[in-house]
Amino acid sequence: MVDEPTITVKEHYSGIDILKGILVIIVVIGHVLTGSLNNNIVRYIIYGCHIPLFLSVSGFLIRKEWIKQVSIKKLYKKYQYRMLTPWLFASITYIVITGTVSFNTLIDIFFRPYFHLWYVLSLFIMIIILWITYKLHTPTWFILLGSSLISLWWLYFFFLGKYPICGPNQPNPLYYLGDMRTYAYFLFFYLGHIGNKYQNKLGGMHILPVAAFTGCIYIFNFFDKLPAIVVAGSFIVLNISLAQYLLNYVVKLKVKKIRLLQPIGVHSLSIYLWHDMIILTTTHFISKYTDKSIYYTITFLSLGLFIYLIISKGQKFGHFPDEM
């Protein structure tokens, strides 16, 4: 039997933790805000970048040398307790709390997880896909072309107001591939992963005008609907350019610690998994009987206390991928 290769640990980037902290706060805010994306511009803007940026950061932190050589068994074990077990426990808890326990809902955890929990499972599937591409020696250009076409296809239908795969009641075998956002957003994860060697060329200030231009197109679509293909393309370019700039910036950030943001980034998975429990509680007991200002005030204060308790414990009940 061949021994598992020894992989040295990559230098820890404090700036990455800060970026993760900012992103998870943005995610929480997006989930607290009420109204549809078409009726709430703040939610619309948040949903235009938060998940692709998070995936780019996660991809960036997975070292090519490590994932090329690791076995599938070691890969699974690495994430079993740090990510998958907390995710599964949270998934079952939310099903129980929302009163939707059944055989079908328990099985459906692995195809359509509860609300926000799709992201954790999708991230793990992306890591597996990345591992497979290295084992098959898949050319980078082929991965980029394929993932770009899939992303453009899915986003085109999304901005048309139609999901390509809508639910288990529709006779579509693609449903059992899981949440299609896994494949639609793989492009951002992969570009984050390979972005290391291109950062000096693509991650400078010169890329900000691209992000600003495509961001304006995306925001304009909120007020006056543009062709779906234009918005989809702008969404992709916006997030690629933002991710490259931010990753290039934070890895060079010379900071030892920011008292609030860095601990939030370190505990981002715990916050991500459980923040909706606070939102469910305040929604159930408050939003039905009061105006939105009181709902927002109590919800954000409760979430602030929740986050403080998480980071003050100094323990991570699972965590997203870090430097490997």
Side-chain angles (χ1 to χ4, degrees):
M1 180 180 293
V2 178
D3 292 336
E4 207 54 53
T6 301
I7 304 296
T8 57
V9 178
K10 190 177 181 179
E11 179 186 359
H12 184 81
Y13 297 115
S14 299
I16 290 290
D17 288 333
I18 295 169
L19 180 56
K20 286 164 62 181
I22 294 172
L23 288 175
V24 79
I25 289 173
I26 291 173
V27 169
V28 171
I29 293 172
H31 290 167
V32 171
L33 297 177
T34 59
S36 67
L37 296 185
N38 293 327
N39 297 319
N40 188 321
I41 190 170
V42 179
R43 284 196 79 206
Y44 178 80
I45 292 173
I46 288 174
Y47 275 72
C49 62
H50 67 320
I51 293 301
L53 291 180
F54 232 133
L55 287 170
S56 296
V57 172
S58 296
F60 174 84
L61 292 174
I62 297 178
R63 294 182 62 200
K64 178 180 178 180
E65 296 82 3
W66 175 79
I67 198 164
K68 280 180 67 176
Q69 301 180 60
V70 73
S71 68
I72 189 64
K73 182 178 180 181
K74 288 289 182 70
L75 180 66
Y76 173 75
K77 283 187 175 181
K78 184 173 185 67
Y79 295 106
Q80 180 181 3
Y81 296 111
R82 63 163 51 188
M83 195 167 78
L84 295 177
T85 300
W87 165 80
L88 183 60
F89 179 71
S91 297
I92 295 173
T93 302
Y94 278 108
I95 288 176
V96 172
I97 293 296
T98 54
T100 56
V101 181
S102 70
F103 177 78
N104 288 336
T105 55
L106 290 174
I107 296 298
D108 213 38
I109 286 174
F110 302 99
F111 299 103
R112 291 292 185 276
Y114 170 83
F115 184 40
H116 63 300
L117 299 182
W118 73 270
Y119 176 86
V120 182
L121 180 61
S122 292
L123 176 57
F124 180 68
I125 295 173
M126 289 182 195
I127 295 170
I128 297 296
I129 293 173
L130 181 63
W131 179 84
I132 292 172
T133 63
Y134 279 117
K135 294 302 177 184
L136 296 178
H137 304 288
T138 311
T140 299
W141 69 265
F142 183 82
I143 300 171
L144 288 175
L145 177 61
S147 58
S148 296
L149 291 175
I150 292 172
S151 183
L152 190 63
W153 169 75
W154 189 89
L155 287 167
Y156 169 75
F157 281 101
F158 176 80
F159 287 112
L160 277 179
K162 303 175 183 178
Y163 283 95
I165 309 298
C166 296
N169 295 326
Q170 295 193 3
N172 195 321
L174 290 179
Y175 175 80
Y176 297 101
L177 289 175
D179 197 303
M180 289 303 293
R181 285 173 289 188
T182 305
Y183 315 101
Y185 289 163
F186 179 78
L187 172 66
F188 307 109
F189 172 80
Y190 186 71
L191 282 171
H193 173 66
I194 66 172
N196 270 318
K197 58 183 179 181
Y198 302 114
Q199 277 183 13
N200 292 331
K201 296 180 180 179
L202 301 178
M205 292 289 292
H206 57 275
I207 203 171
L208 285 182
V210 178
F213 177 72
T214 51
C216 287
I217 294 175
Y218 176 77
I219 294 174
F220 184 81
N221 181 66
F222 178 84
F223 301 100
D224 190 7
K225 293 300 180 184
L226 297 171
I229 192 67
V230 173
V231 186
S234 298
F235 179 94
I236 292 172
V237 176
L238 167 65
N239 282 286
I240 291 173
S241 54
L242 269 181
Q244 289 300 314
Y245 173 76
L246 289 173
L247 287 171
N248 181 66
Y249 177 77
V250 298
V251 297
K252 296 177 180 177
L253 194 62
K254 302 298 182 183
V255 58
K256 291 186 177 180
K257 186 175 182 181
I258 293 183
R259 182 166 294 181
L260 181 61
L261 289 176
Q262 191 172 355
I264 290 176
V266 170
H267 296 83
S268 57
L269 178 57
S270 300
I271 294 169
Y272 185 85
L273 288 176
W274 298 107
H275 75 275
D276 197 58
M277 196 66 71
I278 305 297
I279 299 173
L280 283 174
T281 303
T282 55
T283 300
H284 179 76
F285 290 105
I286 299 171
S287 65
K288 295 179 181 179
Y289 310 104
T290 59
D291 59 36
K292 289 184 179 180
S293 62
I294 297 177
Y295 160 72
Y296 285 140
T297 301
I298 294 178
T299 301
F300 281 123
L301 287 174
S302 300
L303 284 167
L305 178 60
F306 160 74
I307 292 173
Y308 171 77
L309 291 174
I310 289 286
I311 63 178
S312 65
K313 291 295 182 181
Q315 296 178 347
K316 293 181 285 187
F317 301 98
H319 51 100
F320 286 124
D322 47 16
E323 291 93 341
M324 297 176 222

